[in-house]
Amino acid sequence: MKPKNLVIVRAVREQGLNHAEAAAKFGVTRQWVHTLVTRYDAEGPDGVATRSRAPHTRPGTTPALIRDRVVQQRIDLTAQGADAGPATIAWHLAHEGHQAPSTATIRRILHAAGLITPTPGKRPRSSYIRFQAELPNECWQADITHWYLANGTRAEILDILDDHSRFLLDIRPATAFTGPMVVTVMTELISAYGPPASTLTDNGLVFTTRLARYKGARGGFEKLLAAHDITQKNGRPGHPQTQGKIERFHQTLKRWLHARPRPDTIQDLHTLLTEFRTWYNTQRPHRSTGRRTPEQAYTALPKATPTGTRTTEWRSRTDRVDAVGTLTLRYAGRLRHLGIGRAHAGTPVLMLIHDRDVSVSNADTGEIIAEHTIDPSRDYQPRKR
């Protein structure tokens, strides 16, 4: 109780001062004297005790139910290996039918619960220069990462992502991926989704031979893209930021895999990746697509198509016909055997290659001794008659 309040009341009630006189004597307003006397008459001495000035209700306060749900969402999403940031939590709350608070409020709730680890050294998102394809199939990003099986064996994972929508077109494991394996996957995707306008990859030999130590034929991946007039783009060596979307995707993938037991076999890993692909494409909202799922973003707009101009391959090389009358030539990432004839065994030759057409001449005389049109589906290439 504030003693002054009681003195004011007793001066009115017991000493006969009116409200104006008491206000003047004690340096308060007449309204305040009236309020104190009214409270005293209704509640006695407790009525003139000091009262909190806090509002009786706080309509802007986040309800306890929502605060608890925010905390539980953070715990559940983290346990699942999913993104669990404030924006993602807000999306899940809205899809549960709740009135989601702002992301700033969610962040404060998580801080209060001790569920956020400060990272002051982290580069701010606003500092990045961002680019994104305007349409689905305008650019596909592809890369190979790895994961370890339960016995410590290292497995490779090939993933191909649509740049515009982040739709995961394909993801599969193998002990090690070769150029022909990548070509097979890409061929399946072109049949299923149509050819993209362009691709973006690093400089791995399964994607390009442009930085190969020994220059030679284009790889199978390059040949496939050229056949469909698809523009091929490669990042600068040592600069993975160029393929930033698929590099960031690997963080999401591995966070999800970390939340599950290590698979025992490649097939077990394949089963896990199939489950991940369904979750990633159809259940996980993506910040860069307006909190739509990748599948929703991929199907929302018409698909881009190739606009590149087909480039032809010209090259030459020298060799010597082997003892059984054949030459070897690498085409589309695979070594082919060209039939020349036993009569030319040991002959030094000049090979002129124009895409699939090969002309073989005697290096000493210039006489053309064989011509071939490469059949990409077979190893041995008989000469034209």
Side-chain angles (χ1 to χ4, degrees), residues 36-351:
L36 290 176
V37 171
T38 302
R39 289 180 183 175
Y40 182 84
D41 292 342
E43 305 173 31
D46 291 340
V48 297
T50 303
R51 298 186 179 185
S52 171
R53 295 185 180 182
H56 296 295
T57 61
R58 296 183 180 182
T61 301
T62 305
L65 172 65
I66 298 299
R67 293 199 302 271
D68 293 344
R69 194 72 195 111
V70 166
V71 171
Q72 192 59 48
Q73 281 282 5
R74 175 76 166 197
I75 294 171
D76 292 345
L77 290 171
T78 301
Q80 295 167 18
D83 294 329
T88 301
I89 291 174
W91 184 89
H92 283 284
L93 290 175
H95 279 69
E96 290 178 355
H98 299 296
Q99 182 66 41
S102 69
T103 54
T105 298
I106 293 176
R107 187 174 289 106
R108 284 195 295 270
I109 293 171
L110 296 177
H111 267 297
L115 295 176
I116 289 184
T117 302
T119 54
K122 189 174 181 180
R123 183 176 174 180
R125 185 180 298 274
S126 59
S127 68
Y128 289 95
I129 299 175
R130 186 173 176 274
F131 68 92
Q132 177 176 292
E134 296 295 327
L135 293 172
N137 281 14
E138 186 175 324
C139 179
W140 289 357
Q141 291 200 28
D143 200 3
I144 294 175
T145 186
H146 67 275
W147 193 247
Y148 287 95
L149 304 181
N151 61 5
T153 302
R154 185 178 186 272
E156 292 189 347
I157 299 175
L158 170 68
D159 37 51
I160 302 178
L161 198 70
D162 178 68
D163 187 281
H164 167 78
S165 62
R166 312 305 200 275
F167 183 69
L168 183 55
L169 297 150
D170 195 274
I171 185 167
R172 64 182 67 188
T175 302
F177 278 97
T178 63
M181 293 168 68
V182 173
V183 170
T184 298
V185 174
M186 191 67 176
T187 302
E188 293 175 1
L189 293 181
I190 290 174
S191 297
Y193 299 104
S198 65
T199 62
L200 175 61
T201 68
D202 60 18
N203 296 282
L205 285 176
V206 296
F207 299 121
T208 179
T209 59
R210 74 188 187 104
L211 299 181
R213 182 178 180 184
Y214 299 105
K215 300 298 181 183
R218 294 174 179 170
F221 189 78
E222 295 166 305
K223 287 282 190 181
L224 177 64
L225 299 188
H228 290 278
D229 296 332
I230 299 170
T231 300
Q232 183 176 22
K233 296 180 288 188
N234 301 96
R236 191 170 78 238
H239 194 265
Q241 294 90 333
T242 305
Q243 302 85 245
K245 294 182 184 67
I246 203 159
E247 296 291 347
R248 173 61 181 82
F249 164 80
H250 289 159
Q251 293 183 30
T252 299
L253 168 65
K254 292 184 178 183
R255 184 187 300 119
W256 190 89
L257 289 174
H258 266 301
R260 286 152 181 80
R262 294 273 179 179
D264 294 320
T265 64
I266 292 287
Q267 184 56 47
D268 292 338
L269 179 56
H270 186 278
T271 300
L272 264 182
L273 295 178
T274 300
E275 179 186 346
F276 169 82
R277 183 182 176 218
T278 300
W279 170 79
Y280 181 85
N281 280 340
T282 64
Q283 300 175 33
R284 176 185 180 273
H286 204 290
R287 179 194 298 269
S288 297
T289 60
R291 288 294 154 186
R292 294 176 295 173
T293 64
E295 184 178 65
Q296 290 170 333
Y298 184 76
T299 56
L301 294 173
K303 309 296 184 292
T305 55
T307 57
T309 301
R310 184 172 303 187
T311 58
T312 57
E313 178 184 20
W314 298 89
R315 59 191 174 105
S316 62
R317 61 181 292 261
T318 57
D319 202 350
R320 187 178 295 273
V321 181
D322 65 19
V324 296
T326 64
L327 292 169
T328 57
L329 176 69
R330 187 167 295 279
Y331 179 87
R334 292 177 56 188
L335 205 61
R336 319 286 175 160
H337 290 81
L338 280 59
I340 306 298
R342 290 180 182 270
H344 299 286
T347 301
V349 296
L350 169 66
M351 305 169 67

